[in-house]
Each structure stands twice: as structure tokens, then as C-alpha cells.
Amino acid sequence: MPASSDFTCSIVETPRLSMNVWTSGPQDGAPVLLLHGNLTTGGFWTYVAAELPDDVRVIAPDLRGFGLTDEVPIDATRGLGDLSDDVHGLLETLGLAGRRRVTGAGWSMGGGVLQQLLLEHPDDLGALVLVAPVSPYGFGGTTDTSGTLAYPDAAASGGGGAAPEFVRRLREKDRSEDDPTSSPRVILRSFYGAGANAANVDEEFLLSEALTTRVGDDYYPGDSRPSDNWPALAPGDRGVLNTMAPNHYDTSAIAQSTAGIPITWVHGSEDLVCSDRSMFDFGTLGELGAVPGWPGADVLPPQPMKQQTRAMLAGYAAQPGQEHLVKEVELEGIAHGLPLEVPGRLAEEIVAIAPR
């Protein structure tokens, strides 16, 4: 169950689709938009919402392809554009678009959605908190801080990277811990979980939310194409994982943005998902010998995801008048599941950056 009985969900009709939106706090409160990551829902923000002040209006939608939001296909050729446009439509419906009042916090993929929203609808946000975000060059297939592609077809990224047995069990809503290497419960616990705070979260509620993930070529993981390059797969044009393939997704232009809003980047030192040695990145897996035939670090090293994010934010801070607008917070010993592991710490950073 949610951490607070005040954190409830309802359907909101927007110009683009019907969205299931988790909310708490007063309608006239300071608006805080919380965007979840891959394989999760707005419900995962319940523990952060419970830590925010009573005068904060929390808005945490289920993004397209997740939760109870409309089952509408995802066009990956726009990067995370379908999802960021959905969020913009939600803010329009709530009368919050274009007013620079909203503090946005995005976790993992949700951080990528907010990066694209900042580029395409910069007046929607008054402040931004990136929580263990996807790199500005997406996930997989790039080799350096400039986002250079390892291969022209962006091989080693996209929808073909998901383990088929995990996808099958996700589709079948398998709640068991049998064969932990493909168990949705175990993988979520291990990589997206609450860590030392596990006793204070409801795993059954969180697993139920995760198992609402739509599965298929238009959703998770998406389609893929064969490739002559290692590991013999390249991104397709549909579905979630392809939205973050580097041939479709690139928000590095934030380095030249003069949006003038404060940005805080919060990440954990033990993150194994969005990190410089992600356990879901083919460069890392090849180096470890988990995927045979790795062409070597001179061709496809582990993607330097954190270094890429740091370089983007350094560029943003270098723009005139923005030198004091970027803050980096690395939490020692904390992994990827920050909204579950350190909800109070995230709430502190959100409150600290919110427009006054």
C-alpha cells in the first residue's frame, strides 16, 4: 500500500491520452511533478510524497506504457518525445504549463523525460531534480563523454537488449522468486529496490505496480533489428527501450540551454543501472564476459553514463548567469532505487530547489 493514505490515484483526461495520476497535498499547493523510471509507475513515489511538506501538491503520473494510463503505442523515433509531450499535455490540463511554477523530479528514464521536456517546453519547469537519470545520450551504444556512437546503426542498444525470459515472466505477471536471474521480483529488488530501507517499503505493492508494465513491440521492451555489428542487434523504432537508444534520444543540447532554472543531480555511488559501469550495458557485460564476442574497449567500452551527465551539466552551468544553478549530490553507498532507499533525502533536495 502507499506510504500515506493521502497519496491516491485517479484518471485525468488530457488532450493526448487518459493518464493515471497519483496525487497528494492541496490543489493550491506548490506543484511538484514526479516522473518514474522504466518498469515502475507513479506509485513508486509514495515514500517521497510522504516526506514532502503538507503544502506541496504532488503530481506523479503513470507514463505511457505503464500503470493504468492508456495503452497507447510508443513511437521511439522521437526519443522520449511521446512521453514528454504527454507530460506537457497533463500540465496543460492542470493549468500549470508554461508558468515556470513546477518543480520536476525525474528518476532514471523519468529524468530523461524531463530533460526532453526542458528542451521542448522550457517554460513548463521552474526547477529540475535529476534522480539517477538516463544519460543525455541515452542507454547503450556510445563510447565517450561526447556521446560518440560505437557503430553507425547504434548496435548494442535498444529493444533487443532485454532478456527474453525476463520479458516472458513480466508479461505473465510472475510474482515468484524461481530462477532469480529472470524473476521480476528479484531483479526489481536487486537493482531498483530499497536496499537498507527494505523493511520500510511494501514490496508486494511495488511489485504489483511494476507488473502493470505493458509488454510488446510497442511498449516494453520494443522491437529490434539484426545488425552486422556486435552483439548482432540494433534498435528498432517502437517501444520503451528504443526511446533511449542513442540514434533516437539526445538531450545534450541542454549544455547550451539558457533556461535559467536550477538543476540538482542526485545519484548513488553504488548505482548499477545508470552508471559508468551499468550491469545492463553491453559494454560492461562484454567486458565481464557475460556476453561472448566483445570487440574490446577500443570499440565498445562501458558507457560512461555519469560522465556524460556531468559534462552536460557543466556546459549548462557555463552559460552566462547559470554558474550557480547546478548542484551535484552523490550519496555514498546508495544504489539506483533512491525514491525507495532514501525518500527523505530526495524530499529535502526537492524542497531546497523549489521556486519560492
Side-chain angles (χ1 to χ4, degrees), residues 306-323:
K306 288 189 177 184
Q307 294 179 51
Q308 291 170 343
T309 297
R310 189 172 288 115
M312 175 191 73
L313 294 177
Y316 181 81
Q319 301 306 311
Q322 296 185 171
E323 58 271 15

Side-chain angles (χ1 to χ4, degrees), residues 29-356:
V32 170
L33 173 70
L34 303 176
L35 298 189
H36 66 83
N38 191 18
L39 299 172
T40 63
T41 71
F44 272 65
W45 287 104
T46 180
Y47 303 100
V48 175
E51 297 286 344
L52 288 168
D54 291 341
D55 62 351
V56 166
R57 177 187 183 186
V58 173
I59 304 161
D62 293 347
L63 297 171
R64 180 184 298 216
F66 302 93
L68 301 180
T69 286
D70 271 354
E71 191 168 337
V72 181
I74 299 170
D75 175 7
T77 63
R78 305 181 56 233
L80 286 162
D82 268 355
L83 280 67
S84 66
D85 282 354
D86 291 345
V87 171
H88 175 67
L90 173 63
L91 294 178
E92 282 186 318
T93 300
L94 299 178
L96 295 170
R99 299 175 62 184
R100 287 185 173 248
R101 290 187 54 217
V102 175
T103 299
W107 174 33
S108 198
M109 180 189 73
V113 175
L114 286 179
Q115 290 175 56
Q116 195 150 347
L117 185 71
L118 178 62
L119 288 175
E120 297 176 359
H121 302 284
D123 290 338
D124 281 359
L125 299 172
L128 176 57
V129 181
L130 297 174
V131 181
V134 65
S135 156
Y137 299 106
F139 202 104
T142 61
T143 65
D144 55 27
T145 57
S146 299
T148 303
L149 288 174
Y151 305 108
D153 63 355
S157 70
E165 186 64 7
F166 171 77
V167 174
R168 180 190 69 79
R169 295 178 70 175
L170 186 68
R171 179 186 290 112
E172 294 176 1
K173 303 187 185 305
D174 184 340
R175 305 181 72 94
S176 76
E177 297 189 40
D178 300 341
D179 187 3
T181 61
S182 64
S183 163
R185 179 189 295 273
V186 174
I187 289 172
L188 285 163
R189 182 194 299 155
S190 301
F191 294 100
Y192 295 74
N197 194 44
N200 298 312
V201 304
D202 184 345
E203 182 174 277
E204 298 306 318
F205 165 72
L206 297 170
L207 179 61
S208 293
E209 288 296 299
L211 292 178
T212 64
T213 300
R214 307 292 198 279
V215 177
D217 284 352
D218 286 317
Y219 305 103
Y220 180 87
D223 63 344
S224 66
R225 294 190 173 96
S227 174
D228 293 332
N229 300 307
W230 188 85
L233 60 89
D237 294 334
R238 300 150 57 199
V240 171
L241 294 188
N242 294 314
T243 65
M244 294 173 280
N247 60 330
H248 297 318
Y249 178 83
D250 181 350
T251 59
S252 61
I254 289 173
Q256 287 78 50
S257 170
T258 56
I261 68 167
I263 302 177
T264 295
W265 172 31
V266 186
H267 58 99
S269 66
E270 304 306 309
D271 193 333
L272 296 177
V273 180
C274 291
S275 70
D276 291 345
R277 289 185 59 79
S278 171
M279 293 304 295
F280 295 88
D281 171 48
F282 275 109
T284 303
L285 295 172
E287 184 181 68
L288 294 173
V291 180
W294 182 54
D298 56 331
V299 176
L300 186 71
Q303 181 187 354
M305 299 182 194
K306 288 189 177 184
Q307 294 179 51
Q308 291 170 343
T309 297
R310 189 172 288 115
M312 175 191 73
L313 294 177
Y316 181 81
Q319 301 306 311
Q322 296 185 171
E323 58 271 15
H324 301 302
L325 291 182
V326 173
K327 176 183 177 183
E328 177 180 347
V329 179
E330 182 177 63
L331 300 179
E332 191 65 32
I334 302 303
H336 190 65
L338 284 82
L340 308 177
E341 190 168 1
V342 286
R345 189 71 176 82
L346 284 189
E348 290 175 9
E349 295 297 339
I350 291 168
V351 170
I353 202 175
R356 301 296 195 268

